[in-house]
């Protein structure tokens, strides 16, 4: 089991040169962008950050820093369940992750995001993490004959 860690900012601050070496000795490596990660390491309580939402979409283990600390002390990767958030939006967290692993949420969906949409870059990252494809133009799906994909349109209300 190859472990790839994606650390939150505070978890990265905790990481020393010696700890990085120990992590490599256990056969793991660190991810800079998260798409290749097996584990997202967080500190504190679970918050709806972009990093956490991407990890959920990808079905990655989300564990507290204590899991990494316990693994380094044990000299092996310890069971994640004890160090994972218990609930997420009133749903057992393990169910959320297992659902994402079984089938990505946006698999088979094209998503068009209006240019004026707030947080467009972040939404694009979430669409990709959830297995969806981005569609730049609204009418391009029919022209390409891609009728098997469902189209989702994301926008925001205009002020004024």
């Amino acid at each position: 089991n190859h472990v790839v860690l994606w650390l939150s900012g505070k978890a990265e601050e905790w990481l020393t040169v010696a700890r990085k070496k120990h992590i490599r000795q256990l056969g793991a490596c660190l991810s800079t962008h998260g798409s290749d990660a097996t584990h997202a390491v967080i500190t504190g309580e679970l918050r709806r950050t972009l990093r956490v939402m991407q990890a959920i979409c990808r079905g990655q283990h989300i564990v507290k820093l204590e899991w990494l600390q316990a693994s380094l002390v044990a000299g092996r990767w310890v069971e994640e369940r004890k160090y994972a958030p218990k609930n997420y939006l009133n749903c057992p967290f393990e169910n959320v992750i297992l659902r994402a692993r079984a089938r990505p949420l946006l698999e088979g969906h094209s998503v068009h995001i209006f240019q004026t949409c707030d947080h467009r870059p972040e939404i694009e990252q979430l669409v990709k993490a959830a297995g969806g494809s981005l569609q730049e133009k609204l009418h391009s799906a029919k022209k390409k004959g891609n009728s098997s994909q469902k189209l989702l349109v994301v926008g925001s209300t205009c002020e004024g």
Side-chain angles (χ1 to χ4, degrees), residues 51-70:
R51 180 183 306 262
V52 167
M53 298 304 284
Q54 287 176 304
I56 290 170
C57 289
R58 293 180 184 127
Q60 297 168 338
H61 292 282
I62 299 177
V63 291
K64 296 179 180 177
L65 180 60
E66 290 82 1
W67 170 79
L68 182 53
Q69 294 167 331

Side-chain angles (χ1 to χ4, degrees), residues 37-93:
T38 57
H39 295 73
V41 181
I42 62 170
T43 57
E45 294 302 311
L46 185 68
R47 292 181 298 279
R48 280 189 284 174
T49 63
L50 179 60
R51 180 183 306 262
V52 167
M53 298 304 284
Q54 287 176 304
I56 290 170
C57 289
R58 293 180 184 127
Q60 297 168 338
H61 292 282
I62 299 177
V63 291
K64 296 179 180 177
L65 180 60
E66 290 82 1
W67 170 79
L68 182 53
Q69 294 167 331
S71 296
L72 293 178
V73 168
R76 61 176 176 76
W77 301 114
V78 298
E79 174 63 38
E80 293 94 347
R81 187 174 294 164
K82 181 179 173 186
Y83 303 94
K86 301 296 178 230
N87 288 293
Y88 185 72
L89 300 177
N90 296 321
C91 180
F93 193 73

Side-chain angles (χ1 to χ4, degrees), residues 111-113 115 120 124 133-140:
V111 181
H112 173 78
I113 306 167
Q115 294 292 333
R120 188 170 197 267
E124 288 177 350
S133 60
L134 294 169
Q135 184 172 314
E136 290 303 314
K137 296 181 181 180
L138 267 176
H139 58 339
S140 63

